[in-house]
Amino acid sequence: MNATTTEAPRTEASPTQLTMAGALNAALRDAMAADDRVVVYGEDVGPLGGVFRVTDGLQAEFGDERIWDSPLAESGIIGTAVGMAMYGMRPVVEMQFDAFSYPAFEQMVSHVAKMRNRTKGRVTLPMVVRIPCAGAIGGVEHHSDSSETYWASTPGLTVVMPSNPADAYSMLREAIASDDPVVFMEPKSRYWAKAPLALPVTTTPMDRAVVVREGTDVTLLAYGPTVRTALEAAEAAVDEGLSIEVVDLRSLSPFDDETVGASVRKTSRAAVIHEAAQFGGYGAEVAARVTERNFHHLAAPVLRIAGFDIPYPSPKLEEHHLPTADRVLAALDTWEWDA
Amino acid sequence: MSLNVEHLPTRTLPAEKPLRLLDNAGHAVTGASTGGFSLPDVDTLLDLYRKMVVARRFDVQVTALTKQGRLATYPSAYGQEACEIGAVASLDPVDWLFPTYRDSIALLTRGIAPGEILQSFRGDWHNGYDQHAYRTAAQATPLATQALHAVGLAHAARLRRDPIVSLTYLGDGATSEGDAHEAFNFAAVWQTPTVFIVQNNQFAISTPLARQTHATTLADKAVGYGMPGFHVDGNDVAAMYAVTRAAVDRARAGGGPTLIEGVTYRIESHTNSDDPTRYRSSRDVEHWKRRDPIERLEKYLVSEGVLTETVRAEITDAAEELAAATREVMTVEAELDPLELFDHVYSRPRAALAEQRAYLAAELAGARDQAEGGR
Ligand SMILES: Cc1ncc(C[n+]2csc(CCOP(=O)(O)OP(=O)(O)O)c2C)c(N)n1
């Protein structure tokens, strides 16, 4: 696509079909227009518009002092964003792919996460780190990792992951407006998911989970790419006479105990679904806290349906790794249902 | 980027022999080894002398307090005063400093109170001073990471058209870190007003320079990034000041970043828990002690007739006063509120942290009740 001829949809009265990538693009555009402290940089985000075109057309519109291609160095991108945020800017930086954020791990964990704390609140870092994440796009090695657990277990970071275009727009605007650093994870397999949308849209606050499907028998806890999997499983379960409630966690840190707890107490059964490896993964945290807080309401152990404990496989094998609706239903079958 | 007024990469290799303006005997140097820089005026030099003497007294005092167990750790800069102070003294108050754990005396020169500097080393809180008030970032422990912050801040200031400069210190060991390379490269590509001071004190804990780099000088590294590099006698405060001042002025005028290597020596151990006799000879240490940065300037100022006994006494008094104030502040245990642990993690309240805070509060109250009941 050509940056000069592509106009992302602007505020419109009637909804138009919008992809999640388009919604993110609009959120960046609107945030940059609303606040000149917002700057965007990263690898190939300028004329190319990012490898997923999330920044498409923004440099043509805002110029290269607001959005520019940085040198190819992830620690450098995050580290300079720290300095920029210290000076009052609101940098929104892009990591090209999940696994390429690892060179920046130290800056993220040692500085981004800790700056507010070590300076007793005198320095806050209003920055957003956008990370295209997870798999199911046929990516080669290092292009499909789920790195959310690393960030979510780091105090000081806020970690969110939208699963649909409306949340993508609303949550990114909120993340940019936040005074704290936000790791904004974008499930790649959902970039092209479309929804009718009239912008600007404000959905539920980004630190809250949302019940996206009501049910009475089981609560499926999902986020990002697995929300769709959970909804598919819920749909398929109808035939089996099972009423499944689906909760989109949206925010991994903080965790919305309230919304999740209310759902689990209603259904008395819960399972969490994610692409990342199961061992020590985010689902372990979810299962533990759901159990600790709702043990007497639970009729069965909290299940995890996750990727295998293996490095993310190559494209031709990834389907065997990823949690599917069938696996979800198979897992639910392991419970004693009559007890 | 359109901010690049002019792209002027330099291909001049830094001089192999460190640039100097005063020799070890305190004589003004002439000829090629000055690199075209001239000696600062005596008033400036006297001021630098005063700052160095006060800084050393502070350093010696804090080292002593550390040995008495009043601080958890203290990385001394004894012997590096010229490098530290020559560089930081060339900043204006609007400029930003990005220091490391080693650079407490530079913070002192920036006007930060001893008690505020030492909060982190005595273990009260990770950082004890107001960054914005002093335009001085928190002292960084992970090596070279702060150099990127310096670059980012300078770039932001430049986008805002604010004529400010950022200066950051790196050790010789830190130049091997990826973040050092990324910082040099970002600064050069973005042409940020940043001055990198590499304090080559010969060792990274116990690892000598030869095991750290195969480059002839650390200043040579600048060339590969397209910025000027200077190889300077780091025990000559006149040279450190003159070269840094020129780099700061150039940066402020839009001329981009500079890398300056100051060749110096750490006389003390790396920190109090280090045993330097395992990796360096006392002959070496004695050799460097004879090249003391303060004595060198002292000889010059005496020969110029500006360092009179009266002035010297006045400087000594100021240094002793600061040492006494440092001792005093370190005898008073700070009152720490454990509940504050939860206050500075996020700007917005979090339910989970509120719960944990309440838990600790109850635990503290319980401990208090028990202590009272036990009496
Ligand atoms: C990323 C990182 N790795 C290791 C350390 C542990 N460490 C602390 S100081 C130091 C040596 C640093 O040497 P140098 O950069 O020459 O600075 P100096 O202490 O001599 O001033 C090391 C290895 C650290 N602080 N950060």
Side-chain angles (χ1 to χ4, degrees), chain B residues 91-102:
Chain B
L91 291 180
D92 285 348
V94 294
D95 297 331
W96 271 79
L97 175 70
F98 286 79
T100 76
Y101 53 83
R102 175 80 58 213

Side-chain angles (χ1 to χ4, degrees), chain A residues 37 64-65 68 73 75-76 79-80 83-84 86-87 106-107 111 117-118 122 156-158 180 253-254 293, chain B residues 1-2 125 127 129 132 139 142 145 148-149 152-153 160-162 179 182 190 340 344 346-347 350 355:
Chain A
R37 297 171 302 171
D64 65 3
E65 286 191 19
W68 65 92
S75 193
T80 53
M84 294 233 215
M86 283 179 76
Y87 202 74
E106 179 180 51
Q107 285 288 347
H111 292 299
N117 185 252
R118 63 205 278 249
R122 288 184 287 235
L157 298 179
T158 295
D180 290 323
S253 174
R293 282 153 203 260
Chain B
M1 297 192 57
S2 51
W125 200 271
N127 171 256
Y129 49 89
H132 289 282
Q139 286 176 279
T145 52
L148 282 164
H149 307 168
L153 183 131
R160 289 257 176 261
R161 306 294 192 271
D162 295 339
D179 274 13
E182 296 190 21
W190 292 354
E340 203 182 351
H344 312 295
Y346 299 96
S347 59
R350 275 200 175 190
E355 276 174 33

Side-chain angles (χ1 to χ4, degrees), chain A residues 94-112:
Chain A
E94 178 174 304
M95 299 281 97
Q96 202 154 60
F97 284 86
D98 31 53
F100 305 140
S101 62
Y102 302 148
F105 196 73
E106 179 180 51
Q107 285 288 347
M108 290 294 294
V109 170
S110 295
H111 292 299
V112 175

Side-chain angles (χ1 to χ4, degrees), chain A residues 106, chain B residues 80 100-102 141-143 170-175 177 199 201 203-205 266 270:
Chain A
E106 179 180 51
Chain B
Q80 300 185 206
T100 76
Y101 53 83
R102 175 80 58 213
T141 303
L143 298 167
L170 298 154
D172 41 293
T175 63
E177 288 281 2
Q199 297 201 70
N201 66 6
F203 289 94
I205 307 187
R266 154 171 63 77
H270 171 73

